[in-house]
Amino acid sequence: MSDVFPEDLTPISELGEFGLIEKLTSPFRIRRPATLKAVGDDAAVYRVGNGKVHVVSTDLLMEGIHFDLTYAPLKHVGYKAVIVNLSDIYAMNAMPFGITVSIAMSNRFTLEAMEAFYEGVKVACDEHNVDLLGGDTSSSHTGLCISITALGEADEDKVVYRNGARENNLICVSGDLGGGYAGLNVLEREKRAFLANPDLQPELVGYDYVVGRVLKPEARRPVIEVLEKEGILPTSMIDISDGLTSELYHICNHSRTGATIYEEKLPIDPETWKVAEEFKISASTFALNGGDDYELLFTVKLEDFDKVSRISEIHVIGHITEPSQGVNMVLRSGGVVELEAQGWQHFSSEK
Amino acid sequence: MSDVFPEDLTPISELGEFGLIEKLTSPFRIRRPATLKAVGDDAAVYRVGNGKVHVVSTDLLMEGIHFDLTYAPLKHVGYKAVIVNLSDIYAMNAMPFGITVSIAMSNRFTLEAMEAFYEGVKVACDEHNVDLLGGDTSSSHTGLCISITALGEADEDKVVYRNGARENNLICVSGDLGGGYAGLNVLEREKRAFLANPDLQPELVGYDYVVGRVLKPEARRPVIEVLEKEGILPTSMIDISDGLTSELYHICNHSRTGATIYEEKLPIDPETWKVAEEFKISASTFALNGGDDYELLFTVKLEDFDKVSRISEIHVIGHITEPSQGVNMVLRSGGVVELEAQGWQHFSSEK
């Protein structure tokens, strides 16, 4: 029996998540003509006939990394696990139709706990009209592990990838940004207080919106529906799971463009502002680098400006530029800064 | 913050895997007309148009539960993780076209280790002509966690479910049985010897076949191809991942039938016999209750007897009976015993 993990090899932490995925999947080539997109977008895309494509996306969620059962009830964890995947389907401009749900759990979990988890899964399925198509259950030596795969359908000519942004396209986001990260900060603060003094009750009054953003996020189906209704086909799209900056870089890298956004245009909820002030962090930082918003970031042609301006949940925050200009933000003060991609670094050694 | 896991609730270990899945998924109803089968077969089935269906199956594999890195090289773990899922696709009489692969790993894993894992994934993709459609990577607090989803396609009128067995159908299995469990026993024996004395080299000479069965199992695409070529459409089918008895009960329960099989007809490799003797366990027990064979168990109409008899890798081991007769085996001695379903009890308290 050999030593499986000698010490002189490359630690995963040196790569970061995106570098790791690229490194591991680069030997794979698309072999089937029906496969239009494999690794590298919110979801893979493959033809099913009649001008239709299916899209598939999958996520693996680990207790202690992606969710914390100290403050996230299992019903919410189940709901969110599904929503996060459906968000990827919508980000392809597709409509989800089915999911698979697998769980591995240690023996500290009871039947009632897992029923609560599946209740949350069911609420998400009901809201988004998707079928639970299957799954797997297993035991785990430590904690809860959740794997969800979501499937969706779209017309082939209406699928929106990350790579279609063009110079002078308008950059749009749905809803508001930074709320998920604000909520996480509040919950982490209350957890620290609780651990220090278990008799304390959490102080969550006045934080309903931001706590809701992190515990019960929504996938933006209404945005996809209103774009369809208004006859707007985005040129590129991605969902905001890792923070605006990181997602904007994905669009610019895939589309080979630059981008300029305006700090004053960032849509930020008043409650997010309040939390940012309490934590003495700029609200823009929450919006740019916080994760867990699940809003949509997309680009549209300049001539769609009037149409998107009439849609209340969509905000134009900037425009696409030529690649040499980089990815920048015009500050409220009038200065310009280059944005630094951060995102969640699950594998970074700092964490 | 509430106590998430009070002590007075139902431990998961009271249910067993199949009971748990049924309990958790029973509130879900199929809501979409395109969904033909959701939970409860080797794979879910949904229409994609033109008389075609897609099938989807998913597995979650946990280190220490489903694989042991003491003796399973990561390349083999990657290969097997894919094969196990493709086996479920073939068991629907469908052809796989794509997979997603997600992994969560602790920081003891190196880039080189994960590259070995993906090498195994790629060999399986190459052999079965499937595309890697995507996946997810994440960190884990302990160990390696693998989630794979496989997608396949079939003509709607050729999909084979578990519930189509009828009285007097012939019960067939491909290949041979018990080898996976024999191999596992050998590897566990060598692991114990290694842990007791780390200078010992494992004694695997003469066990190539059974060790290969557990470390590098095959999905039985050739069986599906030969059945198609010979014009045999099975009436029911399942892959043998948990042992023949458990799978035969699945077919009988779903089809509402009984079954009689013959001990002397069980196909068992000589090496499996040898290991069974060494461990002083009946080889039939390995075949009936051992897992990890990934052969196909299926039923065909009586009139297909001549056709299946001519196919060397297929063995007729019995026939379907009316439900009141139960699930029985005629012993070599001539006696008859009712088979006891065991399967892998991941959640049972004995484990």
Side-chain angles (χ1 to χ4, degrees), chain A residues 10 31 112 126 131 142 147, chain B residues 10 31 35 112 126 142 147:
Chain A
T10 318
R31 53 170 67 244
E112 289 75 8
D126 289 345
D131 274 330
T142 53
S147 173
Chain B
T10 318
R31 56 169 65 242
T35 306
E112 290 75 9
D126 289 345
T142 53
S147 173

Side-chain angles (χ1 to χ4, degrees), chain B residues 281-296:
Chain B
I281 298 173
S282 132
S284 299
T285 301
F286 277 22
L288 293 168
N289 298 328
D292 258 4
D293 282 325
Y294 304 104
E295 297 293 348
L296 293 168

Side-chain angles (χ1 to χ4, degrees), chain A residues 1 4-6 9-10 12 15 17 20-21 23-25 27-32 35 38-39 44 46 48 50 54 56 58-60 62-66 69-71 74 96-97 100 102-105 108-115 118 121-122 125-126 129-142 145 147 149 151 190-191 194 202 346-347, chain B residues 1 4-6 9-10 12 15 17 20-21 23-25 27-32 35 38-39 44 46 48 50 54 56 58-60 62-66 69-71 74 96-97 100 102-105 108-115 118 121-122 125-126 129-142 145 147 149 151 190-191 194 202 346-347:
Chain A
M1 319 249 160
V4 189
F5 311 112
L9 299 176
T10 318
I12 293 291
L15 285 119
E17 183 174 356
L20 179 65
I21 292 174
K23 191 97 185 158
L24 294 176
T25 60
F28 290 80
R29 297 276 166 273
I30 291 178
R31 53 170 67 244
R32 301 179 72 95
T35 307
V39 180
Y46 51 94
V48 299
N50 295 333
H54 279 187
V56 61
T58 191
D59 269 316
L60 188 55
M62 309 294 289
E63 183 180 350
I65 310 276
H66 298 93
L69 293 176
T70 320
Y71 48 68
L74 272 163
F97 63 82
T100 65
S102 298
I103 48 172
M105 67 209 114
R108 83 171 200 272
F109 289 88
T110 61
L111 172 63
E112 289 75 8
M114 296 326 300
E115 283 178 329
Y118 271 85
V121 169
K122 185 161 189 301
C125 286
D126 289 345
N129 190 29
V130 304
D131 274 330
L132 176 68
L133 292 173
D136 193 15
T137 64
S138 167
S139 57
S140 144
H141 284 311
T142 53
C145 164
S147 173
T149 299
L151 291 155
E190 296 308 312
K191 181 184 172 185
F194 172 78
H346 289 308
F347 296 108
Chain B
M1 317 251 157
V4 189
F5 311 112
L9 300 175
T10 318
I12 293 290
L15 285 118
E17 183 174 356
L20 179 64
I21 292 174
K23 191 96 186 163
L24 294 176
T25 60
F28 290 80
R29 296 277 166 274
I30 291 178
R31 56 169 65 242
R32 302 181 71 96
T35 306
V39 180
Y46 50 95
V48 299
N50 295 333
H54 280 188
V56 60
T58 190
D59 269 314
L60 188 56
M62 309 295 289
E63 183 180 349
I65 310 277
H66 299 94
L69 293 175
T70 318
Y71 47 67
L74 273 162
F97 63 82
T100 65
S102 298
I103 47 172
M105 68 209 115
R108 85 171 200 270
F109 289 89
T110 61
L111 172 63
E112 290 75 9
M114 296 326 299
E115 283 178 329
Y118 272 85
V121 169
K122 186 162 188 302
C125 286
D126 289 345
N129 190 30
V130 304
D131 275 328
L132 176 68
L133 292 173
D136 193 14
T137 64
S138 165
S139 57
S140 141
H141 283 312
T142 53
C145 164
S147 173
T149 300
L151 291 155
E190 296 309 310
K191 181 184 172 184
F194 172 76
H346 288 308
F347 296 108

Side-chain angles (χ1 to χ4, degrees), chain B residues 38-272:
Chain B
V39 180
D41 214 301
D42 291 278
V45 183
Y46 50 95
R47 287 197 184 103
V48 299
N50 295 333
K52 296 279 186 188
V53 296
H54 280 188
V55 302
V56 60
S57 176
T58 190
D59 269 314
L60 188 56
L61 306 171
M62 309 295 289
E63 183 180 349
I65 310 277
H66 299 94
F67 57 92
D68 185 334
L69 293 175
T70 318
Y71 47 67
L74 273 162
K75 183 174 174 180
H76 288 231
V77 171
Y79 181 84
K80 180 170 175 175
V82 177
I83 291 299
V84 166
N85 270 274
L86 300 184
S87 180
D88 283 319
I89 302 299
Y90 293 125
M92 303 304 291
N93 201 32
M95 281 291 157
F97 63 82
I99 57 166
T100 65
V101 176
S102 298
I103 47 172
M105 68 209 115
S106 61
N107 55 15
R108 85 171 200 270
F109 289 89
T110 61
L111 172 63
E112 290 75 9
M114 296 326 299
E115 283 178 329
F117 173 85
Y118 272 85
E119 260 180 64
V121 169
K122 186 162 188 302
V123 173
C125 286
D126 289 345
E127 283 179 3
H128 291 270
N129 190 30
V130 304
D131 275 328
L132 176 68
L133 292 173
D136 193 14
T137 64
S138 165
S139 57
S140 141
H141 283 312
T142 53
L144 179 64
C145 164
I146 304 162
S147 173
I148 297 199
T149 300
L151 291 155
E153 185 172 78
D155 294 330
E156 183 175 339
D157 56 3
K158 290 194 174 165
V159 176
V160 179
Y161 298 90
R162 295 178 177 181
N163 65 2
R166 297 292 174 262
E167 213 179 322
N168 297 321
N169 280 183
L170 301 171
I171 301 170
C172 306
V173 293
S174 65
D176 62 88
L177 301 177
Y181 192 60
L184 186 65
N185 273 285
V186 170
L187 287 169
E188 289 285 349
R189 178 176 68 190
E190 296 309 310
K191 181 184 172 184
R192 283 191 300 271
F194 172 76
L195 292 174
N197 177 1
D199 292 332
L200 272 187
Q201 284 301 305
E203 280 288 351
L204 298 178
V205 175
Y207 300 104
D208 307 49
Y209 180 71
V210 296
V211 167
R213 290 289 276 184
V214 66
L215 292 186
K216 191 172 180 293
E218 301 301 338
R220 304 298 277 156
R221 183 188 189 104
V223 174
I224 300 303
E225 287 170 341
V226 74
L227 289 173
E228 166 80 18
K229 182 164 153 267
E230 297 294 331
I232 304 165
L233 184 64
T235 53
S236 70
M237 187 151 55
I238 190 169
D239 79 321
I240 304 180
S241 52
D242 290 346
L244 176 64
T245 303
S246 170
E247 314 301 358
L248 188 56
Y249 266 99
H250 281 310
I251 284 194
C252 290
N253 288 341
H254 282 80
S255 302
R256 298 171 195 279
T257 67
T260 297
I261 62 170
Y262 295 83
E263 186 179 14
E264 64 179 5
K265 301 283 187 190
L266 295 178
I268 298 174
D269 187 84
E271 219 176 275
T272 306

